[in-house]
């Protein structure tokens, strides 16, 4: 049973470009969480999704950030018009059908904005 | 507004001795607590958890203690091994009301170094 997959592992973008981060949850997991870790800080919750539904996006910046978890395919975190402050490690986690249980994390995508 | 705090950025311990990592929280709605271990360039790996109805949970070399009145939890590793060297994060969730959907609030992390 493969773990949570994230790609790309490293992503470099220039200011103003778009970044797309992908997350494939563990098999059988229908709950996906995205977290962001800024340098020298802990992980901060961004958004919680189930298949085709955004359940809680209270941690998402109001502009430029969006997330989806389509019926088929991976979950996508999209950042439009990136700025230097978006440089961070972005982690995806998945959990089985009950939210609140332990979450299994992917290896993360490290985004660098030049 | 740091609701979960790990006040020690780093801890250095000799192999075979006890490692004690501490975590404080301010949100009284938190009812489930977890410890994660993280190596560089990897995602956090779940270690151990505790529900607020308990004050202790043990799993092998790892024990988590919860003091609800002090809003404090700690992770004990006995005996410590060099392979335990990593960043340790405590995390909390508030699910009693069923509205937080399991989202985790993390501390800043403590870098543990275990010397041979």
């Amino acid at each position: 049973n493969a773990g949570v997959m994230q790609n790309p592992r490293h992503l470099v973008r220039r200011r103003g470009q778009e970044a797309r981060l992908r997350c494939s949850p563990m098999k059988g997991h229908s709950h996906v969480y995205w977290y962001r870790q800024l340098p020298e800080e802990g992980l901060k919750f961004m958004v919680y999704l189930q298949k085709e539904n955004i359940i809680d996006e209270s941690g998402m910046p109001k502009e430029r950030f969006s997330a989806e978890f389509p019926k088929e395919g991976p979950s996508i975190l999209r950042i439009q018009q990136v700025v230097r402050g978006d440089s961070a490690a972005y982690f995806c986690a998945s959990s089985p059908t009950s939210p609140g249980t332990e979450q299994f994390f992917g290896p993360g995508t490290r985004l660098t904005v030049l | 507004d740091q609701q979960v705090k790990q006040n020690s950025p780093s801890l250095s311990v000799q192999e075979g001795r006890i490692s004690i990592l501490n975590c404080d929280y301010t949100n009284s709605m938190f009812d489930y607590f977890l410890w994660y271990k993280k190596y560089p360039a990897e995602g956090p790996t779940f270690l151990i958890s505790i529900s607020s109805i308990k004050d202790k949970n043990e799993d092998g070399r790892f024990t988590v203690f919860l003091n609800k009145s002090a809003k404090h939890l700690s992770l004990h590793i006995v005996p410590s091994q060099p392979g335990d060297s990593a960043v340790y994060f405590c995390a909390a969730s508030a699910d009693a009301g069923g509205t937080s959907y399991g989202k985790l609030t993390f501390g800043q992390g403590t870098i543990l170094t275990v010397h041979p």
Side-chain angles (χ1 to χ4, degrees), chain A residues 4-9 22-24 34 90-92 106-109:
Chain A
V4 178
M5 310 285 283
Q6 287 189 252
N7 67 80
R9 294 292 308 275
R22 296 174 195 80
C23 168
S24 297
W34 285 92
Y90 292 82
F91 293 97
C92 163
T109 294

Side-chain angles (χ1 to χ4, degrees), chain B residues 42-87:
Chain B
E42 294 184 12
T45 302
F46 171 77
L47 266 181
I48 191 169
S49 63
I50 188 167
S51 165
S52 60
I53 63 174
K54 293 185 174 181
D55 54 19
K56 177 182 175 182
N57 188 26
E58 193 171 352
D59 184 1
R61 296 187 296 114
F62 302 91
T63 303
V64 56
F65 295 92
L66 174 62
N67 182 334
K68 288 187 290 294
S69 61
K71 293 191 175 66
H72 177 84
L73 66 155
S74 61
L75 174 68
H76 293 210
I77 306 174
V78 182
S80 301
Q81 300 173 354
D84 296 330
S85 298
V87 180

Side-chain angles (χ1 to χ4, degrees), chain B:
Chain B
D1 178 24
Q2 191 72 28
Q3 297 187 63
V4 177
K5 294 183 181 179
Q6 294 175 254
N7 291 316
S8 297
S10 62
L11 175 67
S12 184
V13 170
Q14 206 67 31
E15 180 178 7
R17 306 294 288 269
I18 184 171
S19 295
I20 300 176
L21 296 102
N22 294 301
C23 180
D24 298 294
Y25 62 96
T26 57
N27 188 343
S28 57
M29 299 300 291
F30 288 145
D31 58 2
Y32 192 67
F33 303 89
L34 309 91
W35 284 93
Y36 282 85
K37 176 180 178 179
K38 184 180 180 305
Y39 293 116
E42 294 184 12
T45 302
F46 171 77
L47 266 181
I48 191 169
S49 63
I50 188 167
S51 165
S52 60
I53 63 174
K54 293 185 174 181
D55 54 19
K56 177 182 175 182
N57 188 26
E58 193 171 352
D59 184 1
R61 296 187 296 114
F62 302 91
T63 303
V64 56
F65 295 92
L66 174 62
N67 182 334
K68 288 187 290 294
S69 61
K71 293 191 175 66
H72 177 84
L73 66 155
S74 61
L75 174 68
H76 293 210
I77 306 174
V78 182
S80 301
Q81 300 173 354
D84 296 330
S85 298
V87 180
Y88 288 78
F89 290 98
C90 72
S93 71
D95 272 320
T99 58
S100 75
Y101 307 110
K103 66 184 178 187
L104 299 175
T105 301
F106 282 84
Q108 310 95 307
T110 296
I111 302 170
L112 173 65
T113 304
V114 180
H115 298 284

Side-chain angles (χ1 to χ4, degrees), chain A residues 4-5 7-8 15 20 26 29 35 48 50-51 57 59 61 67 81 88 100 105:
Chain A
V4 178
M5 310 285 283
N7 67 80
R15 282 179 295 170
R20 281 185 181 239
M26 290 179 69
H29 287 196
Y35 294 84
Y48 162 56
Q50 294 179 17
K51 283 285 188 181
E57 54 182 349
Q81 299 176 320
F105 282 81

